[in-house]
Amino acid sequence: MRFALGQSAPRTEDLRLLRGGGRYTDDINLPGQAASFMLRSPVAHARIRSIDTSAAAAAPGVLAVYTGADVTALGGTPCFAPKLVPLTRPDGSPLYEPKRPMLAEDKVAFVGDYVAFVVAETRAQAKDAAELIEVDYEDLPPVVEISDALTPDGPVLWDDCPNNICFTLEQGDRAATDAAFAAADHVSSVEIPFARVAINPMEPRAAVGEYNPFEDRYTLHAGNQFPHDIRSWLAGGVLNVPESKLRIVSPDMGGSFGLRSTCFPELGLTVWAAKQLGRPVKWVNERSEGILEEHARDFTATVELALDRDGTFLGLRMKKQASVGAYLSNFGPLPAFGNLGGVAGVYRTPAIHVDVTGVFTNSAPTNPYRGAGRPEATFAVERVIDQAALEMGIDKVELRRRNIIAPDAFPYQTPLSYNYDSGEFERNMDRALEMADAAGFDARREAAKSAGKLRGLGIANAIEQAAGMFDEGGEIRIDQQGYVTILMGTHSHGQGHETVFKQLVSEKFDIDFERIRYVQGDTDMVAYGHGTGGSRVSGLGGAALTGAADKIIEKGKRIAAHNLEAAEADIEFSQGRFAIAGTDRGLDLTEIAALAFNHAMLPPGMESGLNGFDTFKSPGPTFPNACHVSEVEIDPDTGVIRVLRYVAVDDVGTVMNPLLLKGQLHGGIVQGIAQITGEQVVMDGTGQVMTGSFMDYQMPRADEFPELEIETHAVPSPRNPLGIKGAGEAGTVGAVACLASAVLDALASAGVSDVAFPATPEVVWRALNAA
């Protein structure tokens, strides 16, 4: 077989995408289509005294100008976080959920908040008209920093939330953890500020809404990760119509990283405006607009580790304050508390307690972003381990080795809810250190020192939860000629789903790629699914597709038995052929497919056609893990950090496609490194975003990175039929902690004990000069 599971098949999608055959949301232009533009708030916190749209409404080409008063029939941005975890505030009341209307009604709460929606014949006309809208703002004192939001008697965002606290959450055993610290011979503590970042996928967000009055039905064209879930949230929470009245079409998508899991206001506004105006309405975000509102991360934490005199971990505790922004996205404050279990790391820490406070600030809502809490958790535990090693005079690798979970301990229950499925953590660490030539590092450090440079070696053992939420569906249809169509409710936005799922089906049926078609992103065509996120697609979607293929094979055996006049138990399926065991009599899949559409040739009572549909829900999450090792060099004269080497040994379970896996890991590692070396949304004291374009916001560049050396060591997961753990977020989860470890190791030799990340050249230069 040309391409089966485990082989490095090039992405079949690329033949179309690289030759201009991609169809992204902005490529969709419908007959009679109008254009739109969103007027955004220029201030972070203000009451709206009045809005005068008369001049804008009279401007050339303008069809309508909508404000908050015009769209009161629409629901606000839906939030289902309370359904995931019963979050409460300090007084025991439910988490505070401010209403976020589609357009601001009486108040704006961050720079970039949605104020008015202008629809015109062209986008230029809509944008020009928006500048004519006069909004009378009554400025209110903004609160930008988390510490300021928690200051007693400080500015308040929402009148009925006087302390700016959205929720508090505790996990773990507080009493046992306090007892562990009381009995400790040594306690290490670190303060961690984790910067707010902009998500910045390659393709800006866009939406095209249309309405069919004869069917009384909406269609939304917009790239998103969860077509079926977005349909549910939008229909029930915003438009107040049955799901059957709304079709979601999610075309090709140029990146997402969690961003397009959110039900942003434009999704509801475009389809609603299309109904009001009787013509399709298109909206496209500009990069400068996206940087105002597409944010993630943003927290501060105190992390403490208790050890005995030999370096054995006794307890770990973390107190974390996380900004949720001004409103809650439909995932609510999930990034602030999601994946807290990862703080346990790959270690046998017997007692752990975590205390999280979600805080409102006058900033964009924080959305899930590649890792959604996983990189933060790994950074916390690995950072405090490095600090403990330094303070106790124990080699940081040796300290990890003394506490790492052994391979025979699985399934392993951690003190923070996670139950690990499988892994060989120490083996991965040893291999990564070998690949990085850690044994020769001291000599390289001395050589760098002679050249006036600082060199550091960083290490991080990473583990993450994957494929834990919801079930997933997969469907296969085979036509009369034996051609196969795969229909998936997941959505690829660069991962290569089409290729790996074709590999799976090709192997199951022994059929060429060219005979397989892949369909995604259309809720009218795909019956069921929950979408892409949390590294869930391969394990859950792959298992569902496997089940669908097995159902087709079972039906094929019955058809073959009936037509070959044999017992069903005697029919075997192998290499695309249904045959009577021990004989050369049989029928291939194409012949079976033809018979399946001929009712006269089917067993009594069997329905025509050759289709299979299945769903899969994992008995528990899977836990991809890895060891990352990096080496950096710092120029003390400029503060510039140069990444010299980066290696990672990953256990993602069964590898479906090594080539695509490396692509996923490379991209994730780069995003993690960028969080440490430069990416940060900077706001001034008034809430103005100072990094409003790529002139100011530091995006990673290809020439800043060495060749990334990746090796995989698969320990299959027992929690799905394919043994897959997941890989979409794995690179980022380890890279943040690993690069930080290397930077701090380099700076330590110059007397710098800590820096605030991102460690930009200015930050590093100032720290070195202060030391």
Side-chain angles (χ1 to χ4, degrees):
M1 183 177 299
R2 190 176 55 167
F3 289 126
L5 285 184
Q7 297 180 5
S8 293
R11 295 198 323 176
T12 60
E13 304 92 308
D14 290 347
L15 293 174
R16 173 174 58 87
L17 297 173
L18 295 176
R19 294 185 296 182
R23 189 169 188 257
Y24 299 86
T25 305
D26 194 28
D27 293 324
I28 298 171
N29 294 294
L30 305 176
Q33 173 181 289
S36 62
F37 182 80
M38 196 76 68
L39 178 69
R40 298 175 179 275
S41 171
V43 295
H45 198 197
R47 288 191 177 90
I48 298 176
R49 290 196 185 103
S50 64
I51 303 179
D52 184 352
T53 63
S54 57
V62 172
L63 302 173
V65 180
Y66 301 110
T67 67
D70 301 311
V71 296
T72 55
L74 296 177
T77 299
C79 173
F80 66 90
K83 299 177 183 178
L84 296 175
V85 178
L87 299 170
T88 60
R89 302 182 69 226
D91 61 2
S93 61
L95 95 163
Y96 184 78
E97 183 183 346
K99 178 186 177 184
R100 186 185 184 184
M102 294 291 103
L103 295 170
E105 295 175 351
D106 57 3
K107 183 177 182 176
V108 292
F110 70 96
V111 172
D113 208 349
Y114 293 55
V115 176
F117 189 62
V118 183
V119 185
E121 295 291 348
T122 69
R123 176 176 169 79
Q125 289 174 330
K127 190 172 183 179
D128 288 344
E131 294 181 359
L132 301 176
I133 299 174
E134 295 185 7
V135 185
D136 184 5
Y137 293 106
E138 178 190 345
D139 287 341
L140 298 171
V143 55
V144 180
E145 301 296 334
I146 294 171
S147 57
D148 294 336
L150 294 173
T151 300
D153 303 322
V156 171
L157 268 74
W158 308 110
D159 293 340
D160 47 353
C161 185
N163 55 11
N164 292 322
I165 293 178
C166 174
F167 74 95
T168 56
L169 175 68
E170 292 190 46
Q171 284 188 2
D173 189 327
R174 180 192 286 269
T177 305
D178 287 347
F181 274 81
D185 293 295
H186 181 84
V187 173
S188 288
S189 177
V190 293
E191 299 292 326
I192 297 176
F194 212 80
R196 175 175 285 245
V197 296
I199 299 178
N200 289 325
M202 184 177 293
E203 178 202 9
R205 297 197 330 268
V208 181
E210 58 177 318
Y211 175 74
N212 185 327
F214 301 103
E215 295 183 358
D216 184 27
R217 195 161 188 258
Y218 302 91
T219 298
L220 172 68
H221 305 264
N224 68 81
Q225 296 174 229
F226 304 123
H228 292 83
D229 289 346
I230 291 285
R231 179 182 64 176
S232 176
W233 303 331
L234 194 58
V238 178
L239 298 173
N240 301 307
V241 299
E243 288 184 26
S244 60
K245 295 285 187 180
L246 175 63
R247 177 189 182 190
I248 301 290
V249 179
S250 182
D252 291 323
M253 189 160 49
S256 178
F257 313 117
L259 174 69
R260 288 179 167 94
S261 62
T262 295
C263 196
F264 283 98
E266 71 270 3
L267 303 184
L269 289 170
T270 51
V271 291
W272 179 85
K275 180 178 181 179
Q276 308 307 307
L277 299 172
R279 56 193 292 188
V281 175
K282 184 176 189 175
W283 174 88
V284 179
N285 215 18
E286 294 183 0
R287 182 68 66 186
S288 59
E289 296 175 296
I291 288 183
L292 295 178
E293 60 168 346
E294 299 171 353
H295 295 175
R297 314 295 197 216
D298 196 1
F299 74 86
T300 61
T302 300
V303 188
E304 298 175 286
L305 180 64
L307 309 92
D308 70 12
R309 63 174 53 87
D310 297 321
T312 300
F313 299 168
L314 303 177
L316 178 74
R317 59 190 176 198
M318 179 172 75
K319 191 172 182 65
K320 175 181 177 182
Q321 299 85 36
S323 171
V324 300
Y327 306 99
L328 300 179
S329 69
N330 51 285
F331 273 93
L334 180 66
F337 68 84
N339 299 293
L340 279 176
V343 174
V346 300
Y347 309 106
R348 303 183 309 272
T349 311
I352 305 177
H353 180 261
V354 180
D355 184 338
V356 182
T357 300
V359 182
F360 290 109
T361 60
N362 287 117
S363 55
T366 48
N367 285 291
Y369 176 53
R370 202 167 194 170
R374 299 166 178 86
E376 298 93 312
T378 296
F379 182 65
V381 63
E382 294 295 299
R383 174 73 185 90
V384 77
I385 290 173
D386 275 357
Q387 186 67 24
L390 185 66
E391 292 172 354
M392 296 183 73
I394 303 173
D395 177 77
K396 59 187 177 185
V397 173
E398 175 59 26
L399 185 57
R400 287 168 167 84
R401 194 182 305 281
R402 293 179 190 180
N403 293 280
I404 207 161
I405 299 168
D408 60 1
F410 297 98
Y412 185 86
Q413 181 62 51
T414 74
L416 272 186
S417 73
Y418 283 179
N419 184 277
Y420 297 158
D421 50 353
S422 63
E424 295 180 0
F425 304 147
E426 187 173 9
R427 183 267 177 205
N428 292 344
M429 184 171 70
D430 288 339
R431 178 58 184 148
L433 290 166
E434 179 185 2
M435 289 171 63
D437 186 23
F441 172 71
D442 287 342
R444 295 194 298 276
R445 170 176 267 174
E446 286 303 312
K449 183 178 179 181
S450 299
K453 301 293 193 295
L454 307 174
R455 192 171 287 223
L457 187 72
I459 184 171
N461 288 315
I463 192 164
E464 58 159 323
Q465 176 183 241
M469 286 204 306
F470 315 121
D471 65 350
E472 191 50 66
E475 183 176 2
I476 300 172
R477 301 175 189 170
I478 303 181
D479 65 22
Q480 298 182 61
Q481 289 77 39
Y483 284 80
V484 176
T485 299
I486 300 170
L487 300 103
M488 296 297 296
T490 57
H491 198 293
S492 176
H493 35 278
Q495 296 94 333
H497 295 176
E498 177 177 338
T499 301
V500 294
F501 285 142
K502 282 184 176 181
Q503 286 181 265
L504 189 156
V505 170
S506 176
E507 182 176 276
K508 290 290 288 187
F509 294 141
D510 194 29
I511 188 171
D512 292 336
F513 265 36
E514 290 75 16
R515 297 177 68 89
I516 304 173
R517 176 174 175 247
Y518 183 78
V519 175
Q520 65 172 17
D522 188 331
T523 57
D524 273 9
M525 296 182 67
V526 180
Y528 183 81
H530 279 292
T532 298
S535 301
R536 66 190 306 275
V537 171
S538 297
L540 302 185
L545 201 60
T546 298
D550 288 340
K551 289 182 177 181
I552 288 175
I553 290 170
E554 288 306 307
K555 183 173 183 178
K557 287 181 178 180
R558 291 179 59 197
I559 296 172
H562 179 72
N563 284 273
L564 294 172
E565 298 180 337
E568 186 178 335
D570 292 335
I571 301 297
E572 296 178 342
F573 180 72
S574 177
Q575 296 182 321
R577 185 171 174 80
F578 297 86
I580 301 173
T583 76
D584 59 358
R585 294 182 60 216
L587 298 165
D588 63 29
L589 181 62
T590 301
E591 293 171 311
I592 291 292
L595 293 171
F597 286 86
N598 184 344
H599 188 264
M601 307 302 290
L602 296 177
M606 178 179 283
E607 74 282 1
S608 298
L610 196 57
N611 303 332
F613 170 78
D614 201 11
T615 62
F616 179 79
K617 175 72 170 72
S618 175
T622 57
F623 290 90
N625 57 88
C627 181
H628 293 224
V629 178
S630 61
E631 190 167 329
V632 303
E633 188 172 82
I634 298 175
D635 184 341
D637 294 330
T638 63
V640 171
I641 299 169
R642 191 158 64 98
V643 183
L644 302 176
R645 192 166 192 183
Y646 200 102
V647 306
V649 176
D650 276 84
D651 170 16
V652 298
T654 301
V655 177
M656 299 182 80
N657 184 315
L659 180 65
L660 301 193
L661 171 63
K662 285 191 176 183
Q664 285 288 289
L665 295 173
H666 286 177
I669 288 169
V670 166
Q671 284 179 292
I673 292 175
Q675 172 95 41
I676 293 300
T677 59
E679 281 203 56
Q680 181 180 23
V681 172
V682 177
M683 293 180 284
D684 68 10
T686 69
Q688 290 293 331
V689 176
M690 309 302 289
T691 48
S693 75
F694 288 165
M695 292 290 289
D696 305 298
Y697 186 90
Q698 184 176 325
M699 289 290 284
R701 296 163 49 100
D703 60 1
E704 297 170 355
F705 300 90
E707 180 180 353
L708 304 177
E709 302 168 58
I710 306 294
E711 189 171 288
T712 57
H713 175 64
V715 182
S717 173
R719 293 178 180 168
N720 61 71
L722 298 173
I724 292 167
K725 290 180 176 175
E729 285 143 316
T732 309
V733 175
V736 174
C738 180
L739 214 283
S741 175
V743 170
L744 290 171
D745 186 54
L747 292 174
S749 62
V752 177
S753 59
D754 198 9
V755 292
F757 294 107
T760 62
E762 180 183 358
V763 167
V764 172
W765 183 85
R766 289 187 182 277
L768 287 169
N769 278 272

